[in-house]
Amino acid sequence: MASVPPTVVPLDVILLGPPGSGKGTQAQLLAQRAGVPQISTGDILRAAAAAGTPIGRRAKQYMEAGKLVPDEVVIGIAQERIAQPDCARGFILDGFPRTLPQAEALEKTLQAAGRSVLIVLDLDVDDQQVTRRISGRRVCSDPSCAAVYHVDTLPSPCPLPEGEGRVRERRCPECGAGLVQRADDAEEAVRQRLRVYHGQTEPLIDYYESRGVLRRVNGEGDIEEVARRVWEALQAAAGGA
Ligand code: AMP
């Protein structure tokens, strides 16, 4: 496949979509191909929670209940990350912004840095499909690895004992640590996250559409198929098509 057309501005991309739409997976692939960092506020918050920092301890209760972490906390984290030198050529935002105040804060941050050109890709997947995907999702229990899998596509099982209400059933093919189900991937938390998505995050589709920067991408299908559509959408947007 062709590379992203050269841009004179940083390649600042937001991946929007419901929980379980494949944002994290696609953001990771896209970041590798485009050569810019993936910024996942969920990963940053989970690492902070695992490390027991004050922000992490505060965030943990919201995350496990499937609720959004307060805007002022997440906005600070995102602003700090975007200011890092590795973001000078662009970034792929995954899971941020999730509310209108977050989107407005991001707009101000980017404008202040002279980077007003955004590409927003919305991964379109229906609720039934995301629920199915999330219930089979397993993540590496080592926060420094944080690889994500689905039980349907994992290599042969390697059983581990059940631990603390989490499903510990296989090892990470990358690093060998146990795979676990995220607490917020449990059924009630997923229903709550979908309610939050439709109430607070979905309005961002109209917000970015009205700014002329939104591209919709069909998120149904296998990872490679969706990755191809995401890449084509990015190329079209970066080329101004
Ligand atoms: P994710 O890994 O993106 O699904 O995020 C997991 C959880 O982290 C969410 O359900 C929220 O509790 C929290 N979180 C991540 N990003 C944000 C954000 N931009 N705003 C508020 N909460 C967030």
Side-chain angles (χ1 to χ4, degrees):
M1 271 186 269
S3 60
V4 171
T7 48
V8 287
V9 291
L11 191 67
D12 296 345
V13 179
I14 296 173
L15 268 187
L16 275 185
S21 59
K23 284 191 310 292
T25 305
Q26 295 300 333
Q28 198 179 352
L29 292 171
L30 194 54
Q32 280 163 6
R33 281 196 87 174
V36 295
Q38 169 196 9
I39 301 178
S40 159
T41 42
D43 282 351
I44 295 171
L45 289 167
R46 274 186 290 279
T53 67
I55 283 183
R57 284 202 301 274
R58 189 170 168 209
K60 197 172 177 204
Q61 52 188 320
Y62 293 95
M63 294 168 78
E64 291 192 345
K67 294 182 178 163
L68 292 185
V69 174
D71 282 340
E72 72 272 13
V73 174
V74 186
I75 288 169
I77 287 174
Q79 283 173 334
E80 207 173 290
R81 181 64 189 91
I82 288 169
Q84 299 295 311
D86 65 336
C87 292
R89 290 183 50 244
F91 49 74
I92 313 291
L93 274 176
D94 151 26
F96 184 91
R98 263 177 155 102
T99 65
L100 283 172
Q102 290 179 20
E104 286 160 2
L106 176 64
E107 197 165 285
K108 282 199 194 117
T109 302
L110 295 180
Q111 271 169 5
R115 338 167 37 147
S116 54
V117 181
L118 255 182
I119 297 170
V120 184
L121 306 176
D122 177 45
L123 277 183
D124 198 13
V125 181
D126 70 28
D127 283 8
Q128 211 183 342
Q129 174 82 349
V130 299
T131 306
R132 204 190 61 75
R133 286 187 188 177
I134 290 178
S135 63
R137 177 156 67 187
R138 298 294 180 270
V139 296
C140 180
S141 56
D142 179 347
S144 66
C145 173
V148 181
Y149 304 95
H150 194 280
V151 287
D152 290 350
T153 51
L154 265 172
S156 58
C158 178
L160 284 174
E162 291 253 325
E164 291 178 23
R166 294 158 143 206
V167 183
R168 302 179 68 93
E169 52 189 10
R170 299 191 183 169
R171 287 186 190 281
C172 175
E174 282 290 319
C175 74
L179 293 185
V180 294
Q181 184 175 41
R182 276 167 43 179
D184 62 347
D185 282 350
E187 205 178 319
E188 181 44 39
V190 171
R191 272 200 290 274
Q192 168 69 12
R193 286 162 70 200
L194 280 171
R195 277 195 293 274
V196 167
Y197 169 76
H198 290 302
Q200 293 184 259
T201 307
E202 214 168 33
L204 297 184
I205 294 176
D206 285 346
Y207 176 88
Y208 286 119
E209 193 148 57
S210 71
R211 282 160 171 70
V213 293
L214 185 90
R215 293 199 175 237
R216 287 172 202 270
V217 178
N218 176 2
E220 312 258 345
D222 64 32
I223 292 174
E224 289 73 26
E225 203 178 337
V226 178
R228 185 179 44 75
R229 291 189 207 120
V230 166
W231 188 250
E232 283 169 5
L234 180 66
Q235 283 188 294

